[in-house]
Amino acid sequence: MASPDEESPAPTEPERWRDLDMLLSRPGNLVDANFDPSPGLRDTLGSLVEVLVVGAGGLGCELLKDLALSGFKNLHVIDMDTIDVSNLNRQFLFRVQDVGKSKAEVAAERVMERVSGVNIVPHFCRIEDKEIDFYSQFSIIVLGLDSIEARSYINSVACGFLEYDSDDKPIPETLKPMVDGGTEGFKGHARVIVPGSTPCFECNIWLFPPQVKFPLCTLAETPRTAAHCIEYAHLIKWNEVHPGKHFDADDAEHMQWIYSEALKRAELFGISGVTYSFTQGVVKNIIPAIASTNAIVSAACALEALKLISGCSKTVSNYLTYNGLDGTHINVSEFVRDKDCLVCGPGTLIELDTSSTLSEFIKMLEEHPKLLMSRASVTHEGENLYMQSPEVLEQMTRPNLGVPMFELLKGAARATVHVTGMAENNGKKVSSLRKLRVAFKGVEKNSKMDTTESF
Amino acid sequence: MLNLIKIKDKKKEQAASAGGRAPVKKQSAGELRLHKDISELNLPKSTSISFPNGKDDLMNFEIIVRPDEGYYLGGTFVFTFQVSPSYPHEPPKVKCKTKVYHPNIDLEGNVCLNILREDWKPVLNINTVIYGLNLLFTQPNDEDPLNHEAAAVLRDNPKLFEANVKRAMAGGLGSVRAVGLSQAPQMQSL
């Protein structure tokens, strides 16, 4: 095998795009209704489409390379992490001398060096640090993440752009599709999320199995495994010895301390198997990453992104799983939407006069045929407008009851609010959480809405 | 989608001067679920709640338990709740701020309550946890101890346990530690 830095000659331009051009310039039975095959499509793809890749780790490196080689020329990549020596076996865009540098920045630079004409803008920060508006510029968001929390955040942002018309149909111009990849050892998934048409991440979040956690008292009293000893050092001993000091799993000194404490405890109880790398694994919840799984999942994601954007073929519908543990198995399942999903669902449309007060609004919910909700508590973008309970919050929010909703919602023509209360379901009153779209009668859709509503 | 993107691109140029839509902070599904939990709280008489960061931060709050029976009658115990955006997939993080002599709460404030760790399920809610905390004071459990000295005394000498609890509640931290230490030899003999 040649050394990794010894580059083979790059293919000439027309040769590099031969396969892509075939896909984009020929009709077929599986193409989208609006697909207009032409050799110029590749240029349109390159000039018009902006893609955001979230994560520049194992999957992210593959995704950037795959997307750049699939004709996308304007890419952004966001990642808060720096390169660790343990990444180098699979995050192939990085070299030893890159250790400590930003993953996003190095990955962007390396792909731009290799694929001419591609521009990649790196963002070395947390996804939450970006304004919501940052995400609106992208035609599609491709996810190479390793946590439920981060996926859930991006999903809520992308679904937040979605708007529905008065018949509860998604307005196509507001769609922000996502392709989500994920790997865990020899298993992986690629998933297509088109908010409003396919289930969003939140619709099926309950499918995730809960994390395995050990009872604290077992850790404190009767450890039986090496993991018990490590979690004891991590969760109990650390705070005892370092009160008030925050434990940082990325600090080698901290990890070394946990390891030596865990080892002491394991010896005390005659337990074997505590090693430094196992300690890291338990504390950081690490599952060994397999390079080939990343490559396969990323390829599937890049292809889905190309199909979604160009319409050159039908996308997977809508959840592809890969299992390389025992042979090779790929399956596609069709997940279904949660019609009451708080994140991607349309919610119930409520029309209000600008003079309607919060208490009149709450009264309306009791009589609204689709809701029949009593004792409603109301929240809007993190602000609690009225809380029925507990008493302290009821007192703090009571002054709002006499204030017009138009004022509480800061003069917006339309707004999304969430309400909880007792609502009727099959003749029974059950506690429910609902999304509402509030629209004010006679108020011009102001500039807040006109970029999307004017279509 | 390319057609849509083309249209959007044109519109973007036209709308550039008109000012785009103001971006808004999205509420996570976890925050909304917590809003539901809090608005439906049904606190037992012994319990009150406070929100140190005001009415709009429900993710951080305090639960104050004043047991109305049992060994801990007359005491006041403050618990901090930290709820993550992935709630209810993740349980809330609960710590006891009050130093307490208790078999299931250690001196660092760690609480050993099964539904806070191994038995947490997303169908449980904040109310369930609050009831669980109350149960810890009416029925301290010596079988799965976090403070093994206290557990051993509770098991072997409930009268002494009761006296230790009273002493600890009267004297605060210093006497909690003293009570703990004085019982240490007993634990080793077990």
Side-chain angles (χ1 to χ4, degrees), chain A residues 34 48 132 163 173 202 213-217 221 240 309 377 379 382 384 387 389 420 431 448 455, chain B residues 2-3 6 8 11 21 24 27 29 35-36 39-41 55-56 108 111-112 117-118 144 148:
Chain A
N34 296 318
L48 227 48
I132 302 290
E163 289 179 27
E173 291 78 8
E202 212 67 44
K213 286 196 171 163
F214 309 116
L216 275 184
C217 14
E221 189 78 340
E240 243 173 67
I309 290 290
S377 297
T379 180
N384 292 314
M387 294 292 283
S389 168
T420 31
S431 105
K448 271 193 166 183
F455 286 107
Chain B
L2 269 178
N3 294 334
K6 275 183 208 164
K8 256 201 245 186
K11 282 282 169 185
R21 70 196 234 133
V24 288
Q27 253 176 312
H35 173 263
K36 176 170 183 282
S39 70
E40 290 170 350
L41 274 184
K55 70 172 179 69
D56 293 330
E108 316 307 317
V111 181
C112 188
R117 291 187 59 80
E118 72 275 16
D144 296 310
H148 15 234

Side-chain angles (χ1 to χ4, degrees), chain A residues 26-317:
Chain A
R26 298 199 295 202
N29 292 331
L30 294 175
V31 302
D32 189 77
N34 296 318
F35 180 64
D36 186 13
S38 92
L41 218 48
R42 173 158 59 82
D43 289 333
T44 319
L45 202 68
S47 61
L48 227 48
V49 180
E50 283 197 71
V51 184
L52 174 65
V53 176
V54 188
L59 257 181
C61 281
E62 293 279 351
L63 284 169
L64 283 170
K65 173 258 291 170
D66 289 350
L67 290 165
L69 291 173
S70 302
F72 296 103
K73 288 198 168 358
N74 300 306
L75 298 156
H76 286 236
V77 59
I78 182 166
D79 198 311
M80 61 180 279
D81 267 349
T82 53
I83 298 160
D84 187 82
V85 73
S86 66
N87 302 146
L88 300 178
N89 71 327
R90 63 192 184 284
Q91 298 176 21
F92 60 91
L93 297 172
F94 309 141
R95 299 289 175 269
V96 177
Q97 60 269 26
D98 300 326
V99 169
K101 293 184 195 162
S102 150
K103 287 188 176 180
E105 286 167 7
V106 175
E109 196 182 311
R110 289 289 142 74
V111 174
M112 284 195 287
E113 279 166 20
R114 293 289 291 263
V115 188
S116 60
V118 167
N119 185 42
I120 305 180
V121 183
H123 302 271
F124 178 28
C125 61
R126 301 175 61 86
I127 49 177
E128 297 90 349
D129 290 344
K130 289 284 178 194
E131 295 286 334
I132 302 290
D133 210 29
F134 164 78
Y135 294 97
S136 75
Q137 62 185 298
F138 302 105
S139 316
I140 184 167
I141 302 176
V142 186
L143 311 180
L145 288 165
D146 60 359
S147 82
I148 292 180
E149 207 168 332
R151 283 190 177 87
S152 186
Y153 180 81
I154 296 287
N155 179 71
S156 74
V157 170
C159 292
F161 292 115
L162 177 68
E163 289 179 27
Y164 287 87
D165 63 19
S166 47
D167 295 324
D168 289 353
K169 294 266 183 315
I171 300 170
E173 291 78 8
T174 65
L175 282 184
K176 185 82 61 200
M178 284 168 280
V179 180
D180 173 43
T183 70
E184 197 173 86
F186 285 100
K187 298 181 206 165
H189 79 260
R191 162 173 201 186
V192 174
I193 299 178
V194 182
S197 332
T198 72
C200 82
F201 187 68
E202 212 67 44
C203 286
N204 313 116
I205 198 165
W206 52 273
L207 284 171
F208 287 97
Q211 244 180 25
V212 177
K213 286 196 171 163
F214 309 116
L216 275 184
C217 14
T218 300
L219 304 181
E221 189 78 340
T222 50
R224 294 181 302 275
T225 67
H228 287 162
C229 300
I230 293 162
E231 283 291 69
Y232 171 78
H234 172 215
L235 296 171
I236 297 175
K237 194 78 185 185
W238 175 269
N239 287 328
E240 243 173 67
V241 179
H242 310 98
K245 190 166 158 191
H246 186 71
F247 173 72
D248 179 6
D250 291 321
D251 186 323
E253 243 174 70
H254 289 193
M255 196 58 88
Q256 188 63 43
W257 189 89
I258 298 289
Y259 165 61
S260 63
E261 286 299 319
L263 201 60
K264 273 189 238 165
R265 188 158 176 85
E267 276 164 13
L268 187 67
F269 284 88
I271 295 167
S272 62
V274 174
T275 62
Y276 184 73
S277 63
F278 187 61
T279 305
Q280 272 186 313
V282 169
V283 172
K284 298 175 88 173
N285 214 356
I286 296 174
I287 290 155
I290 310 290
S292 53
T293 311
N294 287 338
I296 291 164
V297 166
S298 164
C301 289
L303 182 60
E304 291 309 311
L306 177 68
K307 291 195 286 186
L308 260 171
I309 290 290
S310 71
C312 70
S313 181
K314 277 199 168 64
T315 63
V316 148
S317 180

Side-chain angles (χ1 to χ4, degrees), chain B residues 65-67 69-77 98-102 137 161-173 175-176 179:
Chain B
V65 181
R66 293 186 182 82
E69 57 173 311
Y71 296 118
Y72 295 90
L73 178 72
T76 299
F77 306 97
T98 315
K99 297 284 175 194
V100 55
Y101 176 76
H102 193 293
F137 290 105
F161 179 79
E162 191 174 357
N164 284 349
V165 168
K166 290 275 176 282
R167 254 175 68 203
M169 288 200 305
L173 166 67
S175 74
V176 172
V179 168

Side-chain angles (χ1 to χ4, degrees), chain A residues 159-160 162-171 341-352 361 364-365 368 370-371 379-380 405 409 412-419 434-441 445 449 453:
Chain A
C159 292
L162 177 68
E163 289 179 27
Y164 287 87
D165 63 19
S166 47
D167 295 324
D168 289 353
K169 294 266 183 315
I171 300 170
C341 179
L342 297 170
V343 176
C344 73
T348 308
L349 182 64
I350 307 267
E351 290 196 298
L352 288 180
F361 172 69
M364 273 177 75
L365 304 181
H368 193 286
K370 276 193 189 162
L371 291 165
T379 180
H380 168 64
M405 281 294 276
L409 302 179
R414 290 169 168 232
T416 300
V417 300
H418 290 91
V419 290
R434 292 285 159 77
K435 176 177 173 179
L436 307 180
R437 280 183 291 152
V438 174
F440 290 98
K441 291 178 206 161
K445 286 158 191 160
M449 310 299 292
E453 289 291 305

Side-chain angles (χ1 to χ4, degrees), chain A residues 387-398:
Chain A
M387 294 292 283
Q388 298 275 357
S389 168
E391 214 183 320
V392 278
L393 290 181
E394 199 279 333
Q395 277 170 9
M396 282 193 259
T397 54
R398 197 185 299 159

Side-chain angles (χ1 to χ4, degrees), chain A residues 1-6 89:
Chain A
M1 208 178 139
S3 89
D5 287 321
E6 201 174 292
N89 71 327

